[in-house]
Amino acid sequence: MKARRVSGLRSEIVLGASLLAGAALLFSALLLLRLHEQERLSAELQRRLEQAQCCAQALATVPAQHQPALLTSLQRQLHNSRLRLGDGNGATASDRLLRQALLQQQPAIDLLFPPLWSLAATTPANASLQLAVPLTSQAAPRQALWLQFDLQPLRQATLAQLSLALKLCLAYGLVLVLAAVLILQRAVIRPVEQLRQRTHTLAGGDFTSRAPVDGPREIRQLGESFNQMAAALQQAISRQQQQLDQLQQQNTELRATRQQLDQSARLSSVGRLASGMAHEIGNPLSAILGYLDLLRRKAADPAQQDLLQRSEQEARRIDRLIRDLLDYAGQARAQATDGQSPQQHSGASCDPLAVIQASLHLLQQQGALKQRHLDLTLPANLPAVAMAGHKLQQVLINLLLNARDATSRGGQIELGACSHPQSVEIWLRDNGCGMDEAQRQAAFDPFYSGKAEGQGRGLGLFVCHQLLHECGGDILLSSVAGQGSCFTLRLPQATPAGGAA
C-alpha cells in the first residue's frame, strides 16, 4: 500500500494564507476596477452624448445641401467615429436605432462594452457606442443623426489598469503571506517544532527534557501540559527504579544469605570431618613424635641428629595444625564473646624474616621450587608481627606452592617485605597464568579452586584468609589474566610485651 504523503503545518498555513489573501485581494481589486470602469464609462457616455447633441444642433441649423460637407467635417473632428443622417427606413441596426430616436424624440443609445473578465475578442466592434439624436429643425424633414464611437481605447486603458492592479495585488499578497509566515513561524511553527524535538527526546529516555513555555496562550498551555506530563513520567520512572533497586538489593542479600548458609553447612561438615580426622591422626602422631625424640637421643652421628630434629619439627608443625582444627570452634566462640580473635588473646608473635627464611629453606629442601627463578627483596630486619610463626609459615608455604603451580618451567617468583609504622607488609608476585575477574572474586571462597581437577581442594586461600583475619591482618589480591598475580599480606606489628614465637 502506497504511503500517503502528509504535508507539514508550515505548508498548510502558507497555502491557506495564500489562498485567502489572494481571493480577498482579487475580489477587492475587481470590485474597485468595476466601479472605476462604470464611472469612466458613464463619463465617456455623457461626453459622447453631449458631442452628438452638439453635432445634431449644428446639422439642424444648415441647409440640407450643406449637411454632407458638415458631416464630413464633423467626422474628421471626432476621431474614431462614424456619422450619417437617416430617417430610419432601413433594416439595419443603425436604422432601428434611428427609428427609436425619431419616435421618442430623444437620444437613443446602444452600448456594447464587454466586462473586463470576458474572454470575447477585443475588437472595436465589441467595444463601441451608438447614438441616434433627432434633428430639432422644423424646416427639415424628419431625420436623425446616427453616430458610432469606438470605445476600444477606453477598454484597453481599463485592461491596463486591471493588469497593474493584479500585479499590485500579487505583490501585496506576497508581502501579506510572508508576514503571516514570519508571524506564524515565531508564534506557532517554532514552538511546535521545539515541542516535537522534546517529545522525541522524551521518547528516547531523557525524562529531564522540558519544553519552552513561550508563544501564544494556547502554545504556552501546551508546553506546560507537556512539562507536567514529563515530570510525572520522571517521577514514575524514578519510583520504578527505586523499587527495582530495592528488589535487586533484596535478591543480592538473599543470594548472599543462601551462600552463607551453604558455606556454613559445608564448613560444618568439614569441621566434623576434620575433628574426627584430627583425633584419629593425633594419637599416631604423638607416637611418631616420641619415636623421633628417642631416635634423636640415641643417634651418635650429628648429621642423623640434625635430620631427626628437622623431622621432629615438621611433625610438631602437623601436630599444631591438628590442634588448630580442634580449637576452631572454641576460637569462634571466643571471638563472638568479646570481638577479639584468639590470636589477639594469646599475644603470640614472631619474627617475619625468620619465618620467611625457614619457609623457603623447607621448600628448597623438598625441591618444591625447582626450575623457578626466585627473587628476594627483603630488608635487613623487620619488626615482630602479632601472628604465631607456624601460622605465618603455613600461609607463606601455601602462597609459594600456589605461585609454583601458576607458573611454568623457568617462571619468575618474587618475594619481598617492608615495614610501616603500624604494620608489616609481605608480597608474593609471579608471572604465571593470572586470574580473570570472576576468579578474583571467588579466590578466597571455600571449596573454590582454579587448578585442574584433582590438584586442589579450594581451602588453601580460604585458610590463609582466616588465619590473617584472626590476627587482625589482611590479604589482598591483584591479578591480570595471562600476566600473573600478586598477593599482599598486611600484618599488625606485635606489642612490645609480646615475645617472639
Side-chain angles (χ1 to χ4, degrees):
M1 183 177 179
K2 186 177 179 181
R4 180 184 176 186
R5 185 176 180 181
V6 181
S7 59
L9 181 61
R10 182 184 290 106
S11 302
E12 297 287 345
I13 292 176
V14 170
L15 180 60
S18 301
L19 292 177
L20 290 176
L25 291 174
L26 183 60
F27 176 77
S28 300
L30 292 179
L31 180 60
L32 292 175
L33 284 175
R34 182 62 177 172
L35 294 175
H36 183 63
E37 177 191 17
Q38 291 293 336
E39 183 179 353
R40 293 191 61 181
L41 190 59
S42 298
E44 183 70 14
L45 180 61
Q46 184 64 30
R47 187 173 69 86
R48 294 299 184 180
L49 181 59
E50 291 176 355
Q51 289 179 352
Q53 290 176 344
C54 290
C55 291
Q57 291 177 359
L59 287 172
T61 58
V62 298
Q65 62 272 18
H66 297 297
Q67 287 179 350
L70 183 57
L71 280 175
T72 303
S73 176
L74 291 174
Q75 189 168 354
R76 283 198 303 267
Q77 294 178 7
L78 298 175
H79 300 287
N80 299 324
S81 63
R82 294 169 58 191
L83 292 84
R84 76 182 180 89
L85 289 172
D87 53 6
N89 292 326
T92 62
S94 59
D95 290 328
R96 289 195 296 272
L97 190 63
L98 288 171
R99 285 198 297 272
Q100 180 181 353
L102 290 173
L103 288 175
Q104 297 177 354
Q105 286 299 307
Q106 63 180 6
I109 302 173
D110 184 11
L111 177 64
L112 181 60
F113 198 89
L116 293 177
W117 48 84
S118 174
L119 299 180
T122 56
T123 59
N126 290 329
S128 62
L129 173 63
Q130 296 183 36
L131 295 173
V133 181
L135 298 181
T136 58
S137 175
Q138 298 295 330
R142 289 173 55 88
Q143 286 185 331
L145 175 63
W146 174 82
L147 301 94
Q148 183 180 26
F149 297 98
D150 186 9
L151 299 182
Q152 192 64 22
L154 178 61
R155 179 175 173 78
Q156 292 295 335
T158 306
L159 288 175
Q161 292 179 351
L162 176 61
S163 176
L164 179 60
L166 291 177
K167 292 178 181 178
L168 292 176
C169 289
L170 178 61
Y172 188 61
L174 291 176
V175 172
L176 288 179
V177 170
L178 181 60
V181 169
L182 292 177
I183 294 174
L184 291 172
Q185 175 72 21
R186 180 182 60 83
V188 179
I189 303 297
R190 188 180 302 166
V192 170
E193 180 65 22
Q194 291 176 348
L195 185 60
R196 185 189 66 81
Q197 294 176 357
R198 299 302 189 279
T199 303
H200 283 291
T201 305
L202 187 66
D206 184 8
F207 297 101
T208 61
S209 177
R210 296 294 184 269
V213 183
D214 55 6
R217 181 178 64 257
E218 292 78 7
I219 299 297
R220 290 200 304 270
Q221 293 175 351
L222 183 60
E224 292 174 354
S225 300
F226 176 85
N227 292 338
Q228 293 175 359
M229 179 191 68
L233 284 175
Q234 186 177 9
Q235 293 177 359
I237 294 297
S238 178
R239 289 194 297 269
Q240 184 179 5
Q241 186 63 38
Q242 291 177 358
Q243 295 174 356
L244 182 60
D245 293 341
Q246 292 177 357
L247 289 176
Q248 290 178 347
Q249 183 179 0
Q250 293 174 358
N251 290 334
T252 303
E253 293 175 354
L254 288 175
R255 284 194 297 267
T257 303
R258 182 176 180 179
Q259 291 176 357
Q260 291 176 358
L261 291 175
D262 293 341
Q263 179 177 340
S264 299
R266 289 181 179 181
L267 292 177
S268 177
S269 300
V270 172
R272 289 193 297 269
L273 178 62
S275 177
M277 292 180 63
H279 283 289
E280 295 298 328
I281 295 173
N283 293 329
L285 185 61
S286 297
I288 291 173
L289 286 171
Y291 294 146
L292 288 174
D293 182 64
L294 181 62
L295 290 173
R296 182 173 56 81
R297 292 177 184 274
K298 292 183 177 182
D301 187 2
Q304 291 182 353
Q305 289 183 353
D306 181 67
L307 180 60
L308 291 171
Q309 184 179 3
R310 291 180 182 275
S311 299
E312 184 181 358
Q313 289 177 354
E314 294 305 315
R316 292 189 182 280
R317 190 165 68 89
I318 295 174
D319 182 64
R320 284 194 296 269
L321 292 176
I322 292 174
R323 293 180 183 277
D324 290 340
L325 287 175
L326 290 174
D327 294 340
Y328 189 80
Q331 294 173 359
R333 189 179 304 111
Q335 183 177 4
T337 301
D338 56 5
Q340 294 181 331
S341 65
Q343 187 67 28
Q344 291 171 321
H345 280 292
S346 64
S349 62
C350 68
D351 181 3
L353 279 177
V355 176
I356 292 173
Q357 295 293 345
S359 302
L360 291 174
H361 182 72
L362 176 61
L363 293 177
Q364 288 171 349
Q365 288 291 330
Q366 297 175 357
L369 299 179
K370 288 182 178 180
Q371 299 177 342
R372 302 294 189 274
H373 295 291
L374 183 62
D375 293 334
L376 299 178
T377 307
L378 300 173
N381 52 68
L382 287 172
V385 295
M387 186 175 186
H390 70 280
K391 293 188 177 182
L392 178 58
Q393 185 177 20
Q394 181 181 353
V395 172
L396 291 174
I397 290 175
N398 197 316
L399 294 179
L400 285 167
L401 292 177
N402 284 345
R404 179 202 63 184
D405 295 338
T407 56
S408 57
R409 180 177 300 179
Q412 191 81 15
I413 299 176
E414 180 183 353
L415 178 61
C418 65
S419 62
H420 298 286
Q422 300 295 330
S423 63
V424 173
E425 189 172 285
I426 303 173
W427 67 87
L428 182 66
R429 185 181 296 111
D430 65 72
N431 61 348
C433 59
M435 305 179 191
D436 57 23
E437 179 64 24
Q439 291 174 325
R440 289 196 302 272
Q441 294 293 335
F444 297 104
D445 292 343
F447 310 108
Y448 173 80
S449 176
K451 300 179 182 179
E453 186 175 357
Q455 296 184 5
R457 295 293 179 265
L459 288 173
L461 291 178
F462 171 73
V463 172
C464 293
H465 183 271
Q466 293 296 321
L467 292 175
L468 288 167
H469 178 70
E470 289 174 2
C471 71
D474 196 7
I475 179 171
L476 305 177
L477 168 61
S478 61
S479 181
V480 178
Q483 298 183 16
S485 303
C486 179
F487 288 89
T488 303
L489 309 180
R490 292 180 178 173
L491 304 168
Q493 293 187 15
T495 59

